[in-house]
Each structure stands twice: as C-alpha cells, then as structure tokens.
C-alpha cells in the first residue's frame, strides 16, 4: 500500500515511505543513498516520504498503476542522474508491468503499458544534466 497526495507541479507526493518488498532486479555496484531514494546492493528500493512523481504518462492514473508508476519514475530518475545505467531500463519497464499486474491491472493492459514505455519512454531515462560554457 502507498499513500500519496495530489500536487500541482508533480501530480503526487508520497505521504509515507515505501519499500519495495522484493529485490528489483536492478544491478548496482554499491548502494545508492540519496535524500529521497535508496537502492541497496541487493537491488531493494526504498522511496522516502515526500518523494514526488508524475504518475502514469501513457495511461490514466488508476489505482492499479500508482505503485508501479512510483517505482518506475524513481528508477528512471536514477538513470537520468546516472546513478544506475541506462542498460537497466528494460528491467525497470518489466518491473512496472509486474507491479501493475500485482496491483490488479488487467494483464493485457499491463502489457500495453509496458510496450508504451518501451517504445516512447527512453527520452525520460536519458541523462538530463546539461552544461554551458
């Protein structure tokens, strides 16, 4: 279960910390411990209270996609910040599908969500640090 509040800039803010109950399958060399996100050496993800995310991009924000979109957005953020490799994107997308199904989403729809992020999500996981002279 996750608790969240709707916001203006980001649509949602996590009201209670969330720890994914199983290893994510995301490979890390050493633990990542940021203000809002922790990914340990075993691939266990913890998202702290106050983390904001924008929900689902390719589908309405239904109850069955909220937890998946939370985890997926956190993992894509870690890719953008170059804390985990872009090569972990497939696993993040698979995890989104798995969490959606576990949350009660109709399996064919979860596959549609998966293919939508596979086809159109790469730009959201690309490193976004820019430099100017």
């Amino acid at each position: 279960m996750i608790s969240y509040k709707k916001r203006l800039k980001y649509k949602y803010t996590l009201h209670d910390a969330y720890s994914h109950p199983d290893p994510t399958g995301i490979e890390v060399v050493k633990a990542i411990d940021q203000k809002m996100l922790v990914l340990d050496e075993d691939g266990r993800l913890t998202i702290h209270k106050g983390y904001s995310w924008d929900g689902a991009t390719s589908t309405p924000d239904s109850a069955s996609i909220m937890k998946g979109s939370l985890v997926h957005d956190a993992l894509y953020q870690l890719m953008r910040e170059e804390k985990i490799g872009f090569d972990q994107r497939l696993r993040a997308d698979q995890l989104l599908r798995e969490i959606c199904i576990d949350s009660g989403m109709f399996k064919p729809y979860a596959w549609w969500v998966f293919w939508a992020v596979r086809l159109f999500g790469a730009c959201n996981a690309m490193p976004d640090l820019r430099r100017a002279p």
Side-chain angles (χ1 to χ4, degrees):
M1 173 62 73
I2 62 171
S3 300
Y4 53 90
K5 295 179 182 179
K6 193 165 183 165
R7 296 291 185 215
L8 294 178
K9 182 174 179 183
Y10 290 99
K11 289 194 253 180
Y12 306 102
T13 299
L14 194 61
H15 189 66
D16 298 306
Y18 172 74
S19 292
H20 192 65
D22 302 309
T24 59
I26 300 293
E27 298 173 9
V28 294
V29 175
K30 68 176 199 169
I32 299 163
D33 190 353
Q34 295 185 292
K35 181 179 179 183
M36 291 289 167
L37 302 172
V38 176
L39 186 62
D40 72 16
E41 296 93 347
D42 295 326
R44 293 186 185 275
L45 178 67
T46 299
I47 305 170
H48 293 293
K49 175 182 177 175
Y51 181 79
S52 295
W53 80 107
D54 65 358
T57 304
S58 60
T59 188
D61 290 336
S62 64
S64 63
I65 202 164
M66 294 309 297
K67 191 184 303 181
S69 71
L70 168 68
V71 170
H72 192 257
D73 283 12
L75 293 173
Y76 267 42
Q77 177 182 337
L78 291 174
M79 282 182 243
R80 280 192 309 276
E81 295 174 353
E82 301 181 82
K83 302 295 183 187
I84 60 175
F86 186 78
D87 62 332
Q88 299 297 305
R89 184 173 159 254
L90 173 60
R91 180 60 197 137
D93 296 347
Q94 292 169 335
L95 191 57
L96 169 63
R97 183 189 69 234
E98 293 165 11
I99 294 170
C100 287
I101 291 169
D102 288 347
S103 296
M105 185 178 281
F106 185 52
K107 285 183 183 181
Y109 193 62
W111 276 99
W112 182 87
V113 169
F114 169 77
W115 281 110
V117 296
R118 291 304 303 152
L119 294 171
F120 305 109
C123 61
N124 296 306
M126 298 295 289
D128 61 358
L129 180 63
R130 303 291 185 251
R131 293 181 173 88

